[in-house]
Amino acid sequence: MKIQLNNKIKAALTTISIALFLILVFVGDNVISSGSSWRMLITVIEKGSIFALVAASMNLLNGFTGLFSLGQAGFMLMGAYTYAIFTIPSASHDAVYQYFGGGIIKWSIVEVLESKIGVVGHYLGLFIPIIFAGILVAIVAYLIGIPVLRLKSDYLAIATLGFAEILRAFFQWNTLGPVTNGSNVLRKYTTYHSAIFPVVIAGICITIILLLLNSTYGRAFKAIRDDEIAAEAMGINLFKHKELSFVISSFFAGISGSLLAMFQSTISATPFTTQMTYEILLIVVIGGIGSISGSIIGAFLFIACSEWWLRGLDSGSWLGISSDLMRSGFRKVIFAIMIMLVVLFYSKGIMGDKEFSWNRFVNWWLTRPQAIKNWPNKLKSKLVSKKKARMAKSDAKARLKQEKADSDYKKASGTPLFTPLPISDQVIVFDKEGK
Amino acid sequence: MDNRQVVLKLSDLTMQFGGVVAVDNLNLLLHKNEILGLIGPNGAGKTTAFNCITGVYEPTNGAVEINGNIVIENYPKGKMKEEYKGRNLGKYTKSQTMLPDKVTKLGVARTFQNIRLFKGMTVLENVLVAMHMNQEETVFGATFRSKKARNEEKAMREEALVLLRKVGLYENKDDISTSLPYGKQRHLEIARALATHPTILLLDEPAAGMNPQESDELMHFIGEIRDKFDLSILMIEHHMQVIMGICEHIYVLNYGGQIADGAPAEIQANPAVIEAYLGGDE
């Protein structure tokens, strides 16, 4: 028996669960004191939603358009820097750019907005720099995309990886110090004050990505992923659509970068290495390539593991187990093993290429009691079939042995193994020379 | 002679890959509402000719004219020029090639020898993809579901369903495309090509791998879509039964070169064709 929910109920369920989640985050943020160990939950939700956004943007590129690109960390870095540079209050410039004489840019977007439109400007000052960062990253991505998107598969991955590293080096360049502060950290810029902010921004952006994927353009992206030649023969301009996907993906990577800058409250180019791209790629793979809901689940799981649940592995004791092995870095070993297990036995990831659906969710829970009841029988039948397979194998082995013995016997006793072909009267002679 | 309008004209079309001449001076005329056959042994250059017409390859020499407009025109350059020994050298002076998507927009749709459906998508989505190129709405409007985008999407869906009903795939509209049986996959590929609103349809071995009954059905199907959609069809085929039964005119290629052309009966009697297919007696 399968339950089919109608669209109204599904919409209601979605709205209720989103509202409930937001309320819980809001309440949790205000109730849990910063000393409590449960404060980690809020951190995980903040960072998780930021990584969910960047993973979704990478999935748009890798999972839906079939472009294996590894430039995400570079675009995040650029988004983070753009946000930070343009929101440092003018009073703090001398302190931040202490080695570069107070920097070149002497104003911040927030202050300009505040002086023009007052209190509204103060709140707009949180959103407009984020969008500005996204747009700037998108423009750079457009320019990078022109040469790079003519490449395919692995070559594209290498080229985008290279560009991301170039971006990182570029932002650390001393000559650009008056703008980027060289290799020193940027700090004292405006940040959000409530954990609900990154959740809402990431939520809106992911919704936009989902809407895009369900439009005709999303279908065109999937067509390019499935078969480039056929897509082109169906009138889809390959380059235009690849560029579109690349630019949109980078736009959202830039936005998540600026959210990360706000989350960390100081930013430097050092952590945005290739390793960060791999972490994002990992989230995408664990969640399922080609599933946005998978990326979201993957992001929260990954961040919860690395920030919270597996922290104990680095500090000596975890779940009551303590060992000398558990030194700083051991967490990464466990992580690597977990990833190997996921890739080996669960290669499609948590969601495969399917999106979350209420129908499947409800039916899964409804079928659990039956499944648990059937479990012993299932196990038994599995064991029986394994035993049968083993018996059949040994039978076949025995038969083979017998046959071999027979043929050996025949050879020994001189019986011919095959009957020669009868020689016919008409023999066809192929004469090469011809007469 | 045929006084119908010429919709597709290939003049001296040549395609060289290094020293290999895959298509050698092919001249071909496709008239309106005609079904034209292109046959030849394996490796004769039939599919290469298709790829030149649709812009997948840039031909070494020659021109392709669609509905009276020259869309692809090339003359041998560089090394090709020497190897080509100056044949038709002064004839074509422009060098222009269109990308496949532009050629499709001009009304040339094609199918592929080894079926190329969009694997992860349903039958309906496969057809909808082909309609994407006629969409006028921008990404922005399409993402935020502007009124125009919603209307376009609705119109597309309706048209796709009508098309699927016409080709007999309506019942399978929500199936994953690659789960369909082989014959239906061929039908779907043709339906997808029709969704681009073509005037010329290029079919690359539509009856490959079909049993006699299925290919018989396909023959009727091709005839029907020609009438229903007012098409001119150029097809490559190995099934002689299909080719002889449906084509009005046949071109025969061998080693890239054109060895014969004419009505089916003439082709069947042509000694050069028989030699190409069965091998000559020494």
Side-chain angles (χ1 to χ4, degrees), chain B residues 109-157:
Chain B
R110 71 173 291 186
T111 66
F112 295 91
Q113 191 172 358
N114 31 9
I115 305 176
R116 281 176 178 274
L117 292 171
F118 302 123
K119 294 184 264 320
M121 297 193 207
T122 64
V123 170
L124 180 62
E125 281 175 325
N126 261 280
V127 178
L128 285 173
V129 165
M131 291 174 174
H132 173 67
M133 69 169 196
N134 291 323
Q135 196 185 24
E136 287 166 12
E137 188 54 290
T138 57
V139 204
F140 200 75
T143 305
F144 294 104
R145 305 287 189 273
S146 69
K147 199 168 181 211
K148 193 175 165 193
R150 272 178 284 150
N151 288 340
E152 273 182 340
E153 174 83 19
K154 206 175 154 198
M156 269 185 207
R157 261 173 207 277

Side-chain angles (χ1 to χ4, degrees), chain A residues 240-429:
Chain A
K240 186 186 146 200
H241 283 81
K242 282 181 178 177
E243 185 84 323
L244 204 61
S245 172
F246 192 62
V247 166
I248 293 171
S249 166
S250 308
F251 174 78
F252 289 117
I255 285 185
S256 75
S258 55
L259 286 177
L260 192 68
M262 288 169 122
F263 169 73
Q264 290 180 340
S265 74
T266 60
I267 204 86
S268 73
T270 334
F272 293 92
T273 47
T274 321
Q275 199 199 336
M276 191 165 180
T277 305
Y278 291 144
E279 278 175 6
I280 302 163
L281 185 66
L282 204 74
I283 293 172
V284 173
V285 171
I286 289 175
I289 296 170
S291 164
I292 296 290
S293 38
S295 294
I296 298 170
I297 298 169
F300 282 109
L301 274 181
F302 178 85
I303 298 296
C305 285
S306 69
E307 299 280 318
W308 191 14
W309 296 339
L310 300 183
R311 262 285 149 99
L313 290 174
D314 275 12
S315 54
S317 72
W318 180 67
L319 292 179
I321 312 162
S322 52
S323 154
D324 287 344
L325 266 177
M326 295 183 185
R327 271 172 288 176
S328 147
F330 189 65
R331 184 174 46 147
K332 292 215 167 123
V333 176
I334 298 291
F335 237 131
I337 293 170
M338 275 167 58
I339 289 151
M340 269 192 257
L341 291 178
V342 165
V343 171
L344 280 175
F345 299 107
Y346 217 57
S347 57
K348 277 189 145 184
I350 296 166
M351 298 295 287
D353 54 359
K354 294 185 177 63
E355 293 296 346
F356 175 84
S357 96
W358 282 109
N359 272 335
R360 206 138 16 95
F361 184 74
V362 170
N363 283 318
W364 192 83
W365 282 106
L366 286 178
T367 51
R368 271 325 87 180
Q370 196 61 37
I372 290 167
K373 214 190 264 176
N374 287 343
W375 189 65
N377 287 332
K378 211 175 160 187
L379 201 71
K380 212 187 264 174
S381 66
K382 214 175 181 180
L383 282 176
V384 168
S385 66
K386 250 187 190 167
K387 199 175 175 189
K388 265 185 191 165
R390 216 181 305 132
M391 296 230 317
K393 215 173 174 183
S394 66
D395 274 6
K397 224 176 189 174
R399 212 180 311 123
L400 212 72
K401 212 172 179 182
Q402 186 62 40
E403 270 170 22
K404 194 160 182 287
D406 282 358
S407 74
D408 282 351
Y409 171 75
K410 270 183 191 162
K411 258 187 213 158
S413 58
T415 332
L417 286 170
F418 59 91
T419 38
L421 287 170
I423 298 160
S424 79
D425 299 358
Q426 297 168 314
V427 177
I428 304 159
V429 179

Side-chain angles (χ1 to χ4, degrees), chain A residues 52-71:
Chain A
L53 174 57
V54 71
S57 80
M58 195 174 196
N59 213 340
L60 167 68
L61 208 55
N62 288 16
F64 289 94
T65 322
L67 296 171
F68 188 39
S69 155
L70 294 175

